[in-house]
Amino acid sequence: MDLKEYLTGKLPEEYRQYIPRSFDIIGDIAIVEIPNELKKFRKVVGEGILSINKNVRTVYEKASAREGTFRLRKLKYVCGARRLITVHKENGARISLNVRTCYFSPREGTERMRIAKSIGDEHVMVFFAGAGPYPIAISKHSNAKEIVGIEINPKCVTHFKRNIKLNKVKNVVPVLGDVSKVYRNFHGFDRVIMPLPESAWKFLKEAKHVLKRGGIISLYCIFSKTEDEKFWRERISKTLPKAKIISINKVLPFGPGKMKMRIDISV
Ligand SMILES: C[S@@+](CC[C@H](N)C(=O)[O-])C[C@H]1O[C@@H](n2cnc3c(N)ncnc32)[C@H](O)[C@@H]1O
């Protein structure tokens, strides 16, 4: 049963149109966007989510857009157990995190698997690694020799280290730091994954620096009406004039008229 069906009769009929069609589930915590019109019924909505999802124990409401370097949003407690730390299961991996202090999107599980399956016996660098879902997926589902993950948010790195132990992976190295500073310590990688779609392009020079000749960058970015394929080709060639674009792939819708994309680039 979906939330709209479940809430029929539990809310005045005129509010039915505002019931959210979807919400994210991270481990046993649900995160929902409640439209202004429905705010006074937030508890009813939250209780509905708990009732129809037996594995969900806590509901939070989105209280801001994603902000700042750490890409975090404010969360407002709605109902259920008062907890922020959970363990999310995807692709046979367990990812521990605090939903308030660490970025994580459960919608990217399929993309993480796609990336992992495309990797051979390589040295892989993951910029913007968060709590480690990309490095751990790559370790579990590829023959990568070593995977280094750089993350600037110390609270994420605490979970990243915990996740390495939780998943018993031996070839993942977490690094706490700002990519624009610590990149100088790394050379000779086969591939760099850059999952920070809003601003990863600003770090293309750093990515090239850590790669060996012929290495591949997987750059995540946002396509829109104005920032289309032509725009991104020009932006990339301005920074890396000799680079070749190997492929351009859709990842996920990113709000109205926008699409998260992955551009694979050979340097
Ligand atoms: C969109 S999140 C992706 C996190 C993770 N890869 C995932 O898929 O869940 C981007 C991450 O990059 C980190 N970040 C942003 N700027 C950074 C920088 N200059 N150096 C290192 N990490 C950075 C943020 O703290 C955030 O955790």
Side-chain angles (χ1 to χ4, degrees):
M1 188 186 286
D2 72 12
L3 192 56
K4 222 170 202 169
E5 280 175 90
Y6 181 82
L7 291 179
T8 301
K10 296 184 175 69
L11 285 176
E13 183 56 28
E14 64 269 32
Y15 290 95
R16 208 177 127 78
Q17 58 182 311
Y18 303 116
I19 297 171
R21 266 192 238 123
S22 65
F23 44 86
D24 283 339
I25 299 179
I26 303 179
D28 56 4
I29 297 178
I31 298 177
V32 61
E33 188 163 351
I34 301 180
N36 283 338
E37 294 83 352
L38 211 56
K39 295 273 189 216
K40 59 182 171 187
F41 296 109
R42 60 160 61 82
K43 287 261 178 233
V44 180
V45 173
E47 296 294 345
I49 292 174
L50 289 180
S51 300
I52 61 174
N53 295 277
K54 294 298 171 204
N55 297 330
V56 172
R57 294 187 54 209
T58 307
V59 180
Y60 286 97
E61 174 191 351
K62 292 182 186 175
S64 76
R66 290 197 180 281
E67 296 163 344
T69 303
F70 295 173
R71 310 306 304 143
L72 298 174
R73 69 165 91 251
K74 293 192 176 78
L75 295 176
K76 186 169 172 179
Y77 171 80
V78 178
C79 60
R82 283 196 178 262
R83 307 153 53 250
L84 288 158
I85 295 178
T86 190
V87 176
H88 184 78
K89 292 187 187 138
E90 68 169 36
N91 304 322
R94 288 188 292 161
I95 307 297
S96 160
L97 71 139
N98 178 319
V99 290
R100 189 167 270 158
T101 59
C102 184
Y103 175 101
F104 181 79
S105 167
R107 300 180 197 193
E108 279 163 54
T110 309
E111 173 64 10
R112 288 190 263 273
M113 194 63 164
R114 236 181 259 142
I115 283 285
K117 293 281 184 199
S118 73
I119 287 171
D121 55 347
E122 301 173 25
H123 282 99
V124 182
M125 167 63 80
V126 179
F127 284 174
F128 324 116
Y134 274 93
I136 288 165
I138 295 167
S139 178
K140 280 192 167 286
H141 300 286
S142 79
N143 293 323
K145 289 193 188 101
E146 182 193 39
I147 309 121
V148 175
I150 304 177
E151 169 57 49
I152 199 171
N153 175 352
K155 290 186 174 155
C156 267
V157 176
T158 301
H159 283 278
F160 188 1
K161 289 179 180 166
R162 194 172 291 165
N163 291 331
I164 289 170
K165 288 195 187 129
L166 203 58
N167 291 281
K168 300 187 174 71
V169 291
K170 302 271 182 254
N171 56 349
V172 176
V173 181
V175 175
L176 170 61
D178 181 339
V179 164
S180 67
K181 299 197 174 111
V182 301
Y183 78 97
R184 287 193 185 85
N185 304 331
F186 301 95
H187 307 270
F189 283 77
D190 298 286
R191 184 147 359 183
V192 181
I193 318 289
M194 303 178 76
L196 175 63
E198 297 86 352
S199 54
W201 62 273
K202 293 180 186 165
F203 300 82
L204 281 169
K205 281 232 157 80
E206 287 83 343
K208 181 169 187 291
H209 171 95
V210 309
L211 283 171
K212 66 183 189 196
R213 217 164 156 193
I216 293 172
I217 297 172
S218 290
L219 171 75
Y220 290 86
C221 61
I222 311 295
F223 274 30
S224 65
K225 243 190 177 158
T226 48
E227 303 198 344
D228 56 4
E229 182 174 333
K230 183 168 171 279
F231 170 91
W232 279 101
R233 283 184 179 276
E234 282 171 13
R235 179 171 258 179
I236 292 163
S237 75
K238 258 187 211 159
T239 317
L240 302 177
K242 290 187 186 153
K244 265 199 197 129
I245 291 181
I246 310 168
S247 65
I248 300 180
N249 310 277
K250 278 189 186 167
V251 179
L252 281 171
F254 196 84
K258 293 186 178 179
M259 182 62 75
K260 186 187 288 191
M261 307 287 291
R262 187 186 74 247
I263 306 184
D264 291 330
I265 307 159
S266 158
V267 303

